[in-house]
Amino acid sequence: METQQFKYDNNIVRAFLYATIAFGLVGFLLGLTAALMLFYPELPEFLFGTDDTTIKSLASGNIQGLINTQGALGFGRIRMLHTSAVIFAFVCNSFFCGAYYSMQRLLKTRMYSDTLSWIHFWTWQIMIVSVVITFLMGINTSKEYAEHEWPIDILITISWVIFGINMFGTIAKRRVRHLYVAIWFYMGTWLAVAMLHIFNNLEVPLSFTTWKSYSIYAGAKDALVQWWYGHNAVAFVLTTPVLGLMYYFLPKAADRPVFSYKLSIIHFWSLIFVYLWAGPHHLQYTALPAWAQAVGTGFSIMLIAPSWGGMLNGLLTLRGAWDKVRENPILKFFVVAVTCYGMATFEGPLLATKSLNKIGHYTDWVIGHVHIGALGWNGFMAFGIVYYLIPVMWRTELWSKKLANWHFWLGTLGIIFYAVPMYISGFTQGLMWKQFNPDGTLVWKNWLDTVTAIIPYYKMRFLGGLFYLSGAILMVVNVFKTIKAGSFQKDVPAEAPALANIGSGRKEGEGLHLWIERTPRIMAILAFITVAIGGLVEIIPTLTLKQNVPTITAVKPYSPLELEGRDLYIREGCNACHSQMIRPFRDEIVRFEGKNGQYSKAGEFVYDRPFLWGSKRTGPDLQREGGRNPDSWHFKHMYNPRITSAGSIMPRFPWLISNTLDRSQTVNKMKLMKNYFDVPYTKAEIDSANQWADNQAGGIVKKIYSEAKDVKDQIEKDKAAKGAAFVPLEKREIVAMIAYLQRLGTDIKTTQIQTASIK
């Protein structure tokens, strides 16, 4: 058979490798910043200026510097930027780097198109830069792991499709008949992410000249679709592609074949089938239909089997090679990575059970769990791949194995110092929230008691982040020195016999899976059906049957001012710290509502686009916030939370008080809600939207002035100083934010509610 000569393309691999390292450092630094702000919320004031004389500042003693930042360094924005940087910039770039390297060698061919490779690279990096800019500006959707607004969603789709065309084109011109297990995972990843991304990000733009959009789903339906996506973003962005990399790089680094081919088959098909069903376990005890919660729990527990099958397949590949682990830092990273994968995939199903979920959900326990996967599994796999590729591609030895070992131990210490304090913190929160006195009152009635109790663990978590980042910096030094000493090989000569055409039909005596492996089209179809089944069963009934979300007659649409306030709440990322979901627990009903309290009902959220149930409570739940505190309290709380709540770790929002509220799109927002989503605004309400907003704003300002003379005096001074340039308080953003907060829960916050009707 004719032997064909060709060249592997290392250039595209190098580009993604550099992006992985650069964005990894950015993601870690953002995470460290967010961790610091949880025990030092004055960080923005220290950097930009403050009027608080108790805080030292690098700027002058003037709060205008902080106001001028417009919240760019606010915790809510930094937190979503951190998660997006780690997922889309660090992990995805590391996947593309490893995939472009391994695919060529596993398929014995150059990538289908160098042009498509580079279009993919640049569109993905442009997307990341766009995310950074828009998130810092407050342009986001608030939907976890999918905060990008609609133009960026489109760019992600284009880039992903280009990658898919290049991948499947490369498979089509391969010189190896059977697809290796790593390729299965790459294919499954591409198909699942395409489906998840498109369905979760269906939204209606306010106009094609603005960034603002609204989800086509509302309330409980939006929550189900979001966590169907969110959980499977963990599955098909943070797990299956990295498993594909594990199946290639771990055996290569150990110079051993994969432990079990049959286990690989079971691992792949069972994992991609079961994962898609498990999303509702993020919504236990919420307003989601009970059947969906039960399905999520059941399939989450089933996940243990395929996940641990994959973990064991990875670790047992090292049989007979454990002496190499002692000496080879690459294998050290891989071993800890696979171990962390096993730990995270055992803990996740446990947290999906209702017994543990009622304690762990909304606490730091979940944060610890997530970072075992992110720091251990994703981070250490990426580090191991970097250390493997650099010497190979630059044709030299790693500059310093000792430095790589230092990186390994600093990273491992970082994981321990991060996760263990978060577990302790989570247990502390969950138990303190639920503790009652013999007389039926809460032991820890003041929310801040539970916050101050865990500050020491936040400091330990920050130390863990420092260890982890320090190790990554050592890697950068090691990589730089290795590259400097080596010689990069852009095109690697290779040869392989051409693949004979034997047809796609199954041959007599040919094993079923062997036939599937050599027919990529059939494998792709079967993989898509496998990942789609769970979504079809869970999502379609919830979206199509109105009976799943009964209508509560007392629940009315938001007023124009409340609608604007809700958008400000989303802009600032407030849902990163506050939930809006009171679960049917005695402690939550008592804590967040008092004697007449009620847990949250699905019908309360029918006008919420997007839903804002949250996934973490650093601050208290806000679903019944309306009327709990005076308008002036909210005004002062936003200006400086420590004025109203000593010991609070909430950041300041003084720009809300200074900024003029942009109401130029208010009427268009109401029209969109009515025309696209059947929100029952009348024509008269839309026509009088500005007057309606003026009247509500005037009432709020009147209450603020009557409740807080000091605020009134300060505004009067401001008016005298600015003259014609003065903007009345009624026209400022803070009033819209207060309007929204004071609306929350008031529709059904009563002892008598008309029976819910089903339409």
Side-chain angles (χ1 to χ4, degrees), residues 711-752:
V711 173
K712 182 179 181 181
D713 292 343
Q714 183 57 45
I715 298 296
E716 291 295 334
K717 285 182 184 178
D718 190 35
K719 181 178 181 180
K722 292 184 177 178
F726 174 77
V727 177
L729 186 57
E730 291 87 344
K731 300 290 185 183
R732 303 189 196 180
E733 289 181 342
I734 185 65
V735 178
M737 179 70 88
I738 292 172
Y740 172 64
L741 293 173
Q742 293 289 42
R743 171 64 186 277
L744 291 176
T746 55
D747 285 342
I748 70 165
K749 195 174 179 181
T750 174
T751 54
Q752 296 294 326

Side-chain angles (χ1 to χ4, degrees), residues 217-255:
Y217 316 107
K221 295 179 181 181
D222 191 37
L224 178 61
V225 175
Q226 160 57 27
W227 280 113
W228 172 72
Y229 163 88
H231 178 77
N232 291 301
V234 173
F236 290 97
V237 178
L238 303 180
T239 304
T240 57
V242 186
L243 284 168
L245 299 178
M246 179 198 80
Y247 274 110
Y248 177 80
F249 286 99
L250 180 59
K252 290 289 285 185
D255 196 22

